[in-house]
Amino acid sequence: MIVLCTGMPRSASTWSFNVCVRLISHAHADARLYTAFDDDLTASMQGLDKEYDHMVLKSHRLDRLGRNLVMLGAAKAVYTHRDPEDAIASYMVMFERSFDEALTAILDSVALYNFHRRCGSCALISYESIVRESFDAVARVQTYLGLENSPDVVRTIATETGVEAMRHLADRVGENSNSTVCIGNLKYDRHTLLHRNHIRHGGIGYGRTLLSVEQRAKVESVIGTALESHSACNLPGG
């Protein structure tokens, strides 16, 4: 099985990656599992299908290969989404980017969201459900992947991937040099893909406190125009 974990930047796509890895690992304990983060899926997947039984890849973009795999049903896709205002505000704080840069990043992801909606073969998971109904969110991913784990396992995974648990893991990134990867000034864990300060606020309604009235109006207008017949700041599917 190939699982592609995509989503809006700062919408918990790392959560979906960790959930999928744990669900597959529990359901197929002896399977050979490959995990990675790479926006170049063609290069990342080349030749690996013969070495591994399952692959879980995190990517904020889908190249032609990734889109073809999803359209043909050869890969599963999990797309996490968040109120665009919250995603933009979080992006600005996390990466120290301007409002316009953050808006562009989220707008690019809306095109991918539209692609998944058209294909109709993706699990769309809202950030709100991840935060407020973690067990149900994990259970939805499990059902979509066609896996069978007990409710106790699902509950354990929901706890292990909860906001506070992931925040704790992120705070410890860098302590184990064997699992730490450095890209410039960024340190992240090769197993969880969490990086230092990965979770800052973690709440809902973040954008309303950080964005100006003018910025929020622009988000509503631009994102609303980009979405294909869907509400601007209340993306469905979660």
Side-chain angles (χ1 to χ4, degrees):
M1 175 165 52
I2 300 172
V3 184
L4 306 178
C5 297
T6 65
M8 275 187 181
R10 308 299 297 160
S11 72
S13 54
T14 305
W15 170 90
S16 71
F17 170 84
N18 280 277
V19 166
C20 290
V21 168
R22 284 168 167 78
L23 286 170
I24 293 173
S25 296
H26 278 284
H28 304 290
D30 297 326
R32 298 166 300 171
L33 176 61
Y34 177 79
T35 65
F37 168 64
D38 198 335
D39 282 333
D40 186 350
L41 295 177
T42 301
S44 182
M45 295 174 63
Q46 190 170 6
L48 292 176
D49 56 330
K50 297 179 181 179
E51 299 179 35
Y52 295 92
D53 302 304
H54 304 284
M55 301 173 65
V56 180
L57 302 174
K58 177 188 169 184
S59 175
H60 285 300
R61 302 180 182 89
L62 285 186
D63 59 15
R64 179 176 295 181
L65 173 62
R67 289 180 182 240
N68 285 340
L69 290 172
V70 172
M71 288 189 292
L72 293 171
K76 299 280 191 178
V78 180
Y79 181 96
T80 55
H81 59 86
R82 188 177 188 179
D83 184 311
E85 290 182 2
D86 287 356
I88 289 168
S90 182
Y91 191 95
M92 291 169 64
V93 173
M94 183 70 246
F95 301 113
E96 299 181 348
R97 299 295 179 87
S98 69
F99 167 77
D100 287 335
E101 288 175 309
L103 178 59
T104 297
I106 303 307
L107 190 59
D108 288 344
S109 186
V110 169
L112 180 56
Y113 172 83
N114 287 333
F115 163 78
H116 284 311
R117 292 287 294 185
R118 289 194 301 270
C119 289
S121 59
C122 173
L124 299 171
I125 310 294
S126 71
Y127 185 87
E128 288 77 5
S129 69
I130 294 168
V131 172
R132 294 172 172 165
E133 302 167 339
S134 58
F135 176 88
D136 291 341
V138 174
R140 281 191 59 209
V141 175
Q142 167 160 275
T143 299
Y144 169 73
L145 296 180
L147 300 173
E148 295 183 3
N149 287 302
S150 70
D152 285 343
V153 168
V154 172
R155 190 171 294 106
T156 296
I157 292 174
T159 300
E160 292 174 345
T161 57
V163 172
E164 291 308 317
M166 298 293 267
R167 193 196 306 273
H168 177 69
L169 289 175
D171 289 342
R172 299 182 60 183
V173 170
E175 293 181 2
N176 184 348
S177 59
N178 293 326
S179 65
T180 302
V181 177
C182 297
I183 300 179
N185 295 324
L186 181 66
K187 291 183 178 180
Y188 75 89
D189 184 87
R190 70 172 73 250
H191 302 300
T192 65
L193 302 186
L194 290 166
H195 53 76
R196 279 279 190 173
N197 299 316
H198 199 117
I199 301 173
R200 296 292 185 91
H201 185 277
I204 298 168
Y206 192 33
R208 287 193 291 272
T209 63
L210 266 71
L211 302 182
S212 68
V213 173
E214 292 77 12
Q215 288 172 333
R216 293 180 62 195
K218 187 172 182 178
V219 172
E220 181 76 22
S221 174
V222 173
I223 301 296
T225 300
L227 282 169
E228 296 179 353
S229 302
H230 302 302
S231 173
C233 289
N234 184 24
L235 280 68

